[in-house]
């Protein structure tokens, strides 16, 4: 199995082109099931998760054509044409859903378009129990009959969905996306209250509007959707990946380097930029994206709590922890979104970090240096935090289970190596 070897201690210098956002691309692809016309998505990242969802969509009846890699806002990215002329199967089987939880995003579109869906329950995952009750309750409110049987969500709305008010008791990105998609084809008006405001949700809303959906309140926590008879084809470019950009910002900071993140958007990353600023890292808008610099002494320890957007994202918590492991001072990092997202802590400690976890908080006491070690992690962001740590650690770090990284970081080694990192993939 592939591994990544890093010899740490080289400051990153250069430019990194930020890919299209995985977590925007996945719901956008699922949205293709809402129309019998072609949805053309550009700036798609080349990632295993994208292929997994493409395979699921094909078995629902979508025809998918890859149209080369074309530019979008100066970036290369794949262009996919997705056309679900007919829904030939409403079943999302366990063997595909278990590979990727985001597969549950086909639930809303299938029920809205075909009046039924049988989607495998995703089950647990490395970062917590992650139920889908909010997706199910929401669909129920839109008039679907939903039953859980034999590990599957069976949803039926033979006479179509009907608009309703859905008040989310907690913010959920996936439930907001699923219900927003479902509501576009429901009869009447749907209000989603306490909806997620993540840029990926907003990107999906913009694409749905291009497809003919009527959505108000985009970018706020209340989305009002007037159902329409049908949606049509559209073309849409996926937003840049703010989590990828944030990860490379932390990598530049931890190595005392200077990078320009091409295409990255500061308006998607204000909380991250502010926090890095407090830690002594300069993050500013540049003509082509975001410019990140840390020169001089170590970063300062600063506390952070993960929150729904516009707060600091849970998907950057592990990478920030790696950075704080080398800070001058201590940092209290509190995870409020997922109950079990500290899997990287023992591995960072094996590299010499001083971190103690108490419930949902991790107390990181900065050390002057980390040392390379053989490490592995159980999810994407935990894995990449070990890469971030390895870039600054003394000696050699070997990261196992590279397939996690391939789910979410396009060309990771190539992008870092081009900025001077000593990193390679080995067998
Ligand atoms: C999305 O997951 C992202 N995935 C995650 O990124 C990200 O960490 C998360 O949002 C939070 O920002 C994709 O977009 C594909 P949620 P999602 O529903 O939609 C609980 C990565 O590394 N909850 O906002 O599944 C849930 O357990 C991934 O790229 C319920 O209780 O997240 C969690 O504690 C990992 N019931 C919280 O809400 C539900 O029905 C937020 O989850 C749904 C969620």
């Amino acid at each position: 199995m592939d591994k990544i070897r890093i010899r740490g201690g080289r400051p990153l210098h250069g430019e990194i082109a930020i890919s299209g956002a995985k977590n925007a691309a996945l719901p956008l692809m699922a949205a293709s099931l809402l129309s019998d016309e072609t949805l053309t998505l550009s700036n798609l990242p080349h990632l295993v998760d994208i292929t997994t969802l493409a395979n699921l969509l094909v078995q629902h009846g979508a025809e998918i054509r890859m149209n080369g890699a074309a530019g979008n806002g100066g970036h290369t990215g794949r262009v996919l044409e997705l056309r679900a002329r007919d829904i030939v199967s409403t079943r999302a089987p366990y063997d595909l859903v278990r590979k990727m939880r985001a597969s549950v995003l086909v639930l809303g579109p299938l029920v809205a378009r075909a009046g039924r869906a049988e989607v495998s329950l995703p089950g647990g995952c490395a970062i917590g129990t992650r139920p889908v009750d909010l997706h199910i309750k929401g669909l129920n409110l839109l008039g679907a009959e939903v039953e859980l049987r034999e590990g599957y969500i069976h949803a039926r709305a033979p006479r179509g969905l009907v608009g309703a008010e859905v008040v989310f008791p907690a913010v959920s990105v996936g439930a907001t996306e699923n219900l927003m998609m479902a509501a576009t084809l429901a009869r009447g008006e749907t209000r989603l209250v306490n909806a997620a405001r993540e840029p990926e949700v907003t990107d999906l809303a913009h694409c749905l509007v291009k497809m003919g959906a009527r959505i108000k309140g985009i970018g706020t926590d209340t989305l009002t959707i007037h159902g329409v008879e049908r949606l049509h084809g559209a073309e849409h470019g996926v937003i840049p990946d703010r989590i990828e950009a944030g990860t490379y910002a932390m990598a530049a900071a931890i190595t005392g380097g200077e990078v320009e993140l091409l295409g990255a958007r500061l308006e998607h990353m204000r909380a991250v930029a502010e926090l890095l600023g407090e830690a002594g890292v300069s993050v500013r808008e540049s003509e082509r994206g975001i410019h990140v610099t840390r020169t001089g002494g170590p970063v300062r320890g600063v506390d952070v709590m993960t929150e729904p957007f516009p707060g600091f994202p849970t998907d950057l918590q592990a990478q920030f922890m790696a950075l704080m492991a080398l800070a001058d001072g201590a940092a209290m990092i509190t995870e409020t979104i997922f109950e079990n997202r500290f899997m990287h802590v023992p591995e960072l400690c094996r590299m010499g970090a001083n971190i103690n976890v108490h419930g949902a908080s991790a107390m990181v006491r900065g050390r002057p240096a980390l040392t390379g070690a053989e490490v592995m992690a159980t999810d994407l962001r935990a894995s990449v935090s070990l890469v971030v740590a390895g870039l600054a650690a003394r000696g050699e770090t070997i990261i196992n289970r590279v397939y996690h990284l391939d789910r979410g970081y396009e060309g990771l080694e190539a992008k870092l190596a081009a900025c001077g990192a000593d990193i390679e993939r080995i067998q």
Side-chain angles (χ1 to χ4, degrees):
M1 208 179 279
D2 284 1
K3 299 174 179 186
I4 280 184
R5 178 169 64 203
I6 303 173
R7 294 189 183 96
R10 291 168 163 229
L12 295 186
H13 280 283
E15 300 175 349
I16 300 178
I18 300 304
S19 299
K22 163 180 84 81
N23 290 347
L26 296 171
L28 287 166
M29 289 169 69
S32 68
L33 295 177
L34 289 165
S35 169
D36 60 358
E37 295 183 14
T38 303
L39 177 63
T40 304
L41 296 174
S42 58
N43 200 35
L44 281 168
H46 179 33
L47 297 170
V48 172
D49 276 8
I50 300 293
T51 313
T52 305
L53 186 60
N55 289 336
L56 180 60
L57 296 177
V58 165
Q59 72 84 50
H60 290 312
E63 287 165 27
I64 303 187
R65 278 214 327 225
M66 191 159 76
N67 230 345
N72 174 40
H75 295 279
T76 56
R78 300 193 157 192
V79 180
L80 280 193
E81 288 177 5
L82 304 106
R83 181 164 194 194
R85 209 184 296 256
D86 297 299
I87 302 291
V88 298
S89 160
T90 53
R91 189 175 174 85
Y94 176 67
D95 59 323
L96 284 172
V97 177
R98 80 181 159 81
K99 285 191 189 156
M100 187 182 63
R101 288 184 48 86
S103 308
V104 80
L105 290 168
V106 300
L107 178 64
L110 286 175
V111 180
R113 167 111 181 262
R116 57 182 290 170
E118 301 79 36
V119 176
S120 170
L121 278 163
C125 74
I127 61 176
T129 48
R130 299 182 79 185
V132 286
D133 56 317
L134 301 176
H135 305 238
I136 293 172
K137 281 182 195 146
L139 269 184
N140 225 213
L141 287 168
L142 296 190
E145 286 166 23
V146 189
E147 255 188 308
L148 301 183
R149 253 191 293 125
E150 290 138 12
Y152 278 74
I153 306 165
H154 294 257
R156 296 272 175 288
R159 284 177 300 282
L161 295 169
V162 183
E165 176 161 287
V166 180
V167 181
F168 294 109
V171 177
S172 163
V173 172
T176 303
E177 292 167 342
N178 233 336
L179 292 170
M180 176 166 63
M181 290 191 277
T184 60
L185 294 180
R187 274 196 309 282
E189 185 180 288
T190 299
R191 255 162 60 88
L192 303 179
V193 180
N194 197 23
R197 287 182 281 166
E198 268 64 8
E200 295 76 19
V201 175
T202 298
D203 199 34
L204 174 64
H206 287 312
C207 177
L208 291 170
V209 168
K210 287 182 194 166
M211 294 170 76
R214 291 175 58 202
I215 307 176
K216 285 198 190 122
I218 296 174
T220 75
D221 63 2
T222 305
L223 295 167
T224 307
I225 302 130
H226 282 272
V228 294
E229 276 290 303
R230 57 184 299 275
L231 295 183
H232 49 73
E235 289 183 16
H236 185 78
V238 180
I239 54 168
D241 195 321
R242 66 193 167 104
I243 306 302
E244 188 196 21
T247 302
Y248 292 131
M250 312 266 175
I254 202 170
T255 60
E258 177 166 10
V259 295
E260 190 169 13
L261 304 169
L262 304 181
R265 293 195 198 153
L266 195 58
E267 77 258 27
H268 294 167
M269 302 176 59
R270 297 235 183 253
V272 177
E274 210 168 284
L275 191 73
L276 286 174
E278 283 173 37
V281 182
S282 149
V283 180
R284 59 181 170 77
E285 205 155 20
S286 66
E287 231 165 68
R288 294 186 299 161
I290 293 179
H291 188 266
V292 183
T293 336
R294 177 177 71 84
T295 44
V299 292
R300 286 187 290 278
V302 278
D303 298 346
V304 70
M305 192 181 270
T306 61
E307 283 171 317
F309 191 83
F312 185 85
T314 172
D315 290 345
L316 284 172
Q317 178 257 106
Q319 301 88 313
F320 187 70
M321 194 179 293
L323 178 62
M324 288 296 104
L326 281 172
D328 182 11
M332 174 79 92
I333 300 182
T334 306
E335 173 59 56
T336 73
I337 309 290
F338 292 108
E339 77 275 19
N340 186 22
R341 212 175 193 185
F342 284 141
M343 312 299 275
H344 41 289
V345 170
E347 298 300 294
L348 288 173
C349 289
R350 293 184 57 242
M351 298 176 74
N354 178 351
I355 307 170
N356 286 295
V357 175
H358 304 278
S361 294
M363 171 55 85
V364 187
R365 292 187 176 85
R367 305 286 296 259
L370 295 176
T371 45
E374 184 152 356
V375 288
M376 65 172 195
T378 42
D379 88 89
L380 167 61
R381 309 302 171 186
S383 292
V384 87
S385 79
L386 303 175
V387 172
V388 171
L391 291 170
R394 289 187 185 142
E396 191 173 278
T397 298
I398 305 277
I399 293 146
N400 291 290
R401 300 199 180 171
V402 168
Y403 55 86
H404 288 298
L405 295 167
D406 293 336
R407 292 186 57 178
Y409 288 89
E410 180 175 15
L412 177 85
E413 312 93 90
K415 289 185 184 186
L416 288 170
C419 290
D422 186 344
I423 179 169
E424 61 181 332
R425 196 175 281 239
I426 54 176
Q427 289 290 315

